[in-house]
Amino acid sequence: MNQLRRKASFAERKKPTMGRLFRPSESNDKRNSGIPEMKESEASEGKDNNDPGKEINNTDDETSSVVGWGRVKQFVQKLGKTPHSQNLSLSHCDLTATDVVELATLLPFLAQLEVMDLSWNDLIGGSLKAFTVHLQHVGKLRVLKLCNCRLTAQDLTALGEALDCIPLIEVLDLSWNIGVGAGNFRHFTEHLQPESTLKELRLVDCQLSETDITALSEALPMLSSLEELDLSNNKLSIKGMENLTSSLGSTPRLKTLKLSMCGLNKDSLSVLGQGLRFIPALEHFDLSCNKEAGGGLATLTTNLALLTHLRSLDMHLCCLTEEDVLALVQVAPSLKELRELDLSSNKSVGDTLQKLLQTLPLSQITKLPLNNCALSTPACHALATAMQKLQQLESLNLSWNKCVGENLRQFLEPLQSDCKLQELRLSSCNLTTEDLLHLESACQRGVLSQLKRLDLSYNGSVGDGGWTSLFGKAAGLKGLEELDVSLRPSAFLSVSPWMPALLEALPHLSSLTCLSLQHWALTSTEREKLEKVLSKKNIILECDRLATPTPKAAG
């Protein structure tokens, strides 16, 4: 069945619609073709040319371009997409090998194309050669995405051979193709030429083997312009890490290195640390979700201080120990450009946060996720004190830290009218009615006018009066786009006591796009009223209950 589907075109696998029965004529396509600007200028030049022979040729070219662009429009629109001469996005279109062949015949009419995304079409694997042999028609292509296309070794060879046809290519995304791994990546890398223009290479979850990492390492000297390398979700062996880090000296411009969920352990971090001296320009470093890395950060931080341009460090869910955090405390003063530090989901942070805050460049930190860090009461007090210096903070996540409950006032009082906070997440923090009264006060003072996302979910301990008071000052949240006040799935409470306040608040929330009331119980009348108001403002409602509950305590 898969083979039959691969051979069938998209149109053959879709039921005909009334729109196709009354498809516009070719002349209509010509009139509304929207030919790329370059073609129009060329056509006008042809009209001004006094040479009769050239005028005829230019007229033929113009007609061919009009008809060709009409075919492009027809092909793209039947897939439910919008045609664009510079950006062709056909991801999630269920394309087949037949569709790829048809698309290849349309490339001559896409000479201005710069971005092409064919991702998440898992039936085109094995047929890429029929497409790549025509890439010379899109010589301006800069971005090519082929995520989750079931690419094969033959596809990688075809893609490698076609690199000469797209000399300006800067971004290549082959993520979620297991065929890229298993020793097949060399079929692509062996075609790379010195001074490649490639700046971003993404190979997320490609099941890269040690052989593949070796092939990549040997190819890095060809990629001297590389600025981003993403190898996340690939199990990296010690030998593979040694090969990779030894070649990092060939990529002095590397700014982003992502090694999330790569199975890194203490030994891996030690090897990686030795390679950091080769990439002093690194700005974004992602080591998240490496649960075996705990206890090995000290071997990495020795050279981490050399990354004086580092702006973002992500080590969430790494099972960091207290010694790891203290090692980071030692190197933090050298990270003068740091803007984002993610240590969330590391329980050891709770007892060491105070020391860390004393060494970070707080005045320029913009993002500080501390969710699920088992923050202690002293840690909360230390963070509250630091809020006065976090003047550029745009995102603060304190979710799943129970000590925040009854202490929210400490975090809100230091905020000034020029507060830049855009995201505040306080999910499952044991908030009380009094905490929401302090949040109401902050809204009234206008210090949260820049807030776009507010997450107060899983705080069933808040009384009805707290919600009523908060919505009563909704005018102070004029920039809010997403609001989540959902309950735990096990909770069963009514919105009736504060629904009138919510309905009155909605007209003041002019930027709101999504309201989540999951697990709150609404009567059919309440839901009808709410949906009527939301539909006028195109606000999405997330709510799953209609029954009138029996009031009881909720978490």
Side-chain angles (χ1 to χ4, degrees), residues 217 220 239-250 271 275 278:
S217 303
L220 285 182
K239 183 63 175 177
M241 283 297 300
E242 290 175 347
N243 290 335
L244 178 64
T245 55
S246 65
S247 299
L248 287 179
S250 303
V271 173
F278 300 126

Side-chain angles (χ1 to χ4, degrees), residues 255-323:
K255 295 181 179 179
T256 301
L257 179 59
K258 297 184 179 182
L259 300 173
S260 175
M261 206 179 297
C262 285
L264 303 184
N265 54 30
K266 296 179 183 179
D267 294 333
S268 304
L269 292 184
S270 178
V271 173
L272 180 58
Q274 295 300 315
L276 294 182
R277 65 182 187 275
F278 300 126
I279 46 177
L282 198 67
E283 296 180 3
H284 307 282
F285 197 13
D286 185 356
L287 297 172
S288 62
C289 302
N290 286 291
K291 297 183 179 181
E292 299 177 11
L297 192 57
T299 60
L300 180 72
T301 54
T302 302
N303 290 307
L304 193 64
L306 300 176
L307 304 181
T308 55
H309 299 286
L310 193 66
R311 299 173 64 89
S312 171
L313 177 61
D314 188 349
M315 297 198 69
H316 79 268
L317 199 60
C318 282
C319 296
L320 298 181
T321 64
E322 185 173 338
E323 290 72 23

Side-chain angles (χ1 to χ4, degrees), residues 509-533:
L509 300 175
S510 56
S511 301
L512 194 66
T513 60
C514 182
L515 173 63
S516 184
L517 299 175
Q518 296 286 18
H519 315 307
W520 284 98
L522 287 77
T523 65
S524 57
T525 301
E526 288 170 339
R527 179 154 189 157
E528 183 179 346
K529 288 182 179 179
L530 184 59
E531 289 181 338
K532 183 177 181 180
V533 174

Side-chain angles (χ1 to χ4, degrees), residues 82 84-90 103 107 110-119 131 138-145 166 168-171 202:
T82 302
H84 193 286
S85 63
Q86 294 180 319
N87 190 334
L88 182 63
S89 178
L90 298 179
L103 176 59
L107 292 184
L110 290 167
Q112 305 304 311
L113 195 64
E114 295 184 7
V115 179
M116 179 158 35
D117 187 355
L118 303 181
S119 300
F131 175 76
V138 288
K140 295 183 179 181
L141 194 67
R142 295 185 301 103
V143 179
L144 179 59
K145 298 181 180 181
I166 44 177
L168 303 181
I169 192 72
E170 295 180 352
V171 179
R202 300 173 189 143

Side-chain angles (χ1 to χ4, degrees), residues 400-411:
W400 302 94
N401 288 292
K402 305 303 182 184
C403 71
V404 176
E406 300 183 348
N407 289 302
L408 188 59
R409 174 182 61 84
Q410 300 180 45
F411 301 100

